[in-house]
Amino acid sequence: MSDTIGEFVLSTLGELNYDTSGVTDATPLGEGGLELESLSLAEIAMHVEQQYGVQFDDEELESIGKLTFGEFVTVIGERSTGPAVAEQTA
């Protein structure tokens, strides 16, 4: 499932006009990596919530920028209640 989540996050980043070429699990979402700012993080979180049912409170949103891409995908997978879970178990 993490591949599906990763593809979804990369697709969302692309829709937000971020260059995702070369992104690996070790790529930081914030400083030194994708350089996502708080508005972009909130936008991605909204897409993740709609797709996977994962919600992030305001404090968590601030800390997402400190995660790597792989860590973010893992958090989504661990907390997911959305359609991707049903697809994987069917």
Side-chain angles (χ1 to χ4, degrees):
M1 178 171 58
S2 63
D3 288 343
T4 304
I5 295 170
E7 290 169 12
F8 175 80
V9 174
L10 286 174
S11 173
T12 301
L13 288 167
E15 291 172 15
L16 297 172
N17 297 318
Y18 281 92
D19 179 11
T20 59
S21 61
V23 171
T24 67
D25 284 347
T27 301
L29 294 178
E31 189 174 327
L34 287 166
E35 302 290 344
L36 299 180
E37 297 178 1
S38 58
L39 185 59
S40 296
L41 291 170
E43 182 79 16
I44 292 166
M46 183 180 70
H47 285 272
V48 167
E49 180 178 347
Q50 290 172 349
Q51 182 71 20
Y52 295 103
V54 175
Q55 296 183 349
F56 298 97
D57 63 30
D58 291 340
E59 289 180 19
E60 287 177 309
L61 278 177
E62 291 179 21
S63 66
I64 290 173
K66 297 176 185 172
L67 298 176
T68 64
F69 179 80
E71 291 168 337
F72 184 54
V73 169
T74 298
V75 168
I76 296 167
E78 289 172 347
R79 296 170 59 176
S80 179
T81 61
V85 172
E87 291 172 9
Q88 294 295 318
T89 58

